[in-house]
């Protein structure tokens, strides 16, 4: 005679958290480049011949046909494999509010269906791409730190790490 089995030893069902599966170092680079790209504006006076110093160097923020930032951003996006590019599109949609983190799988599948061939061009066309990506990243409890000064070997006071003001004044 068979005895009933007890199911009391089963673990309670826990919904698996979605996985981002994007390299954070490359994602950080893309976010920072996207922010640089986002502040570019169309050249309102392409025939302008004034002195850049007189203009307060404002032309640096003007888009031109030889835009290095856009080229670097597109190259960084295209350096990702196809699955990573699709996830990047889905991450931007999360950050924009089109999908929630709970809808991650659906966002990835929709991105795969709509943007698998031209994900880079699509992403470059999104205004506020850097902000959307960072907001999406925050949903995965991840973030970036623009630590350009720390990478250059400087602390918050623009001093080499470990050297206080008093030590510099004695030198």
């Amino acid at each position: 005679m068979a005895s009933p089995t007890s199911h009391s030893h089963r673990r309670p069902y826990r919904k698996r958290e979605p996985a981002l599966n994007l390299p954070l170092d490359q994602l950080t680079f893309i976010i920072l480049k996207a922010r640089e790209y986002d502040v570019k504006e169309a050249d309102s006076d392409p025939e302008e011949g004034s002195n850049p110093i007189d203009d307060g160097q404002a032309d640096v923020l003007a888009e031109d046909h030889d835009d290095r930032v856009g080229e670097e951003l597109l190259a960084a996006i295209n350096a990702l494999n196809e699955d990573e590019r699709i996830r990047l599109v889905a991450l931007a949609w999360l950050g924009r509010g089109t999908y929630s983190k709970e809808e991650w799988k659906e966002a990835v599948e929709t991105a795969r269906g709509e943007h698998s061939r031209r994900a880079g061009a699509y992403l470059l066309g999104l205004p506020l791409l850097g902000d959307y990506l960072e907001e999406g990243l925050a949903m995965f409890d991840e973030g970036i730190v623009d630590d350009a000064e720390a990478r250059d070997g400087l602390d918050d006071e623009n001093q080499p790490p470990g050297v206080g003001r008093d030590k510099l004044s004695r030198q």
Side-chain angles (χ1 to χ4, degrees):
M1 179 179 211
S3 63
T5 58
S6 171
H7 296 290
S8 62
H9 295 292
R10 283 190 180 175
R11 292 183 189 170
Y13 177 72
R14 282 189 358 186
K15 192 174 182 179
R16 261 181 63 192
E17 286 288 317
L20 183 59
N21 291 334
L22 283 169
L24 289 179
D25 58 335
Q26 289 176 284
L27 185 54
T28 298
F29 180 81
I30 289 169
I31 290 170
L32 294 175
K33 282 295 169 187
R35 285 188 181 147
E36 285 182 52
Y37 186 75
D38 287 343
V39 299
K40 297 276 184 179
E41 59 185 40
D43 192 358
S44 60
D45 188 10
E47 301 301 320
E48 181 181 341
S50 69
N51 185 334
I53 293 174
D54 293 339
D55 293 336
Q57 302 287 345
D59 283 342
V60 169
L61 298 177
E63 224 177 85
D64 63 16
H65 296 292
D66 297 324
D67 185 18
R68 286 284 199 221
V69 174
E71 291 172 11
E72 289 175 1
L73 177 56
L74 186 59
I77 292 169
N78 288 337
L80 298 171
N81 67 42
E82 181 180 357
D83 190 53
E84 291 168 339
R85 287 191 302 269
I86 295 305
R87 289 174 172 277
L88 193 65
V89 171
L91 186 65
W93 288 346
L94 255 68
R96 185 174 68 182
T98 306
Y99 292 91
S100 69
K101 184 178 176 186
E102 291 75 28
E103 299 169 311
W104 175 247
K105 188 175 180 180
E106 180 184 349
V108 170
E109 290 307 313
T110 302
R112 186 177 316 285
E114 293 180 10
H115 298 290
S116 64
R117 292 184 184 240
R118 298 188 41 87
Y122 169 74
L123 288 167
L124 257 62
L126 285 179
L128 304 175
L129 174 61
D131 292 339
Y132 292 155
L133 292 174
E134 188 168 14
E135 288 295 320
L137 191 59
M139 291 181 184
F140 286 91
D141 297 323
E142 297 284 351
I144 67 164
V145 176
D146 184 8
D147 57 350
E149 289 183 353
R151 285 190 306 250
D152 291 337
L154 300 175
D155 66 10
D156 291 335
E157 299 294 325
N158 292 326
Q159 303 297 330
V163 177
R165 290 181 191 173
D166 60 326
K167 290 182 181 179
L168 283 177
S169 62
R170 286 188 235 149
Q171 292 177 350

